[in-house]
């Protein structure tokens, strides 16, 4: 990834681990719900907003910061 893209990421650069979810909008929403039900994420607000993936046409992404 380029430095410009890294600067645009809406997540902080701390020592927290990140889980990137990339896929169709439906796949991303399903995975967010699955992570919530399985208690991998304790709250849906821990995910960044779903945005179009800048590196893959037709794909969307979100990031879970743990």
């Amino acid at each position: 990834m380029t430095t410009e893209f890294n600067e645009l990421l809406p997540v902080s650069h701390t020592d927290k681990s990140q889980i990137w979810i990339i896929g169709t909008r439906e796949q991303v929403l399903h995975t967010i719900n699955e992570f919530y039900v399985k208690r991998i994420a304790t709250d849906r607000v821990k995910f960044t907003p779903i945005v179009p993936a800048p590196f893959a046409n037709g794909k969307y992404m979100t990031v879970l910061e743990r």
Side-chain angles (χ1 to χ4, degrees):
M1 288 194 279
T2 66
T3 303
E4 292 172 356
F5 179 67
N6 287 336
E7 291 172 358
L8 294 175
L9 288 174
V11 293
S12 64
H13 299 289
T14 62
D15 292 332
K16 295 181 180 180
S17 62
Q18 299 175 350
I19 299 172
W20 289 44
I21 302 169
I22 302 167
T24 65
R25 187 169 182 81
E26 291 78 21
Q27 290 170 330
V28 172
L29 285 170
H30 176 77
T31 305
I32 288 172
N33 290 331
E34 184 177 10
F35 277 24
Y36 179 71
V37 168
K38 292 182 178 181
R39 298 179 190 244
I40 295 169
T42 56
D43 195 349
R44 287 183 175 94
V45 297
K46 295 194 181 237
F47 291 92
T48 61
I50 298 173
V51 295
F55 46 81
N57 289 334
K59 300 290 182 176
Y60 292 84
M61 66 179 279
T62 187
V63 178
L64 168 63
E65 189 172 297
R66 302 200 66 202

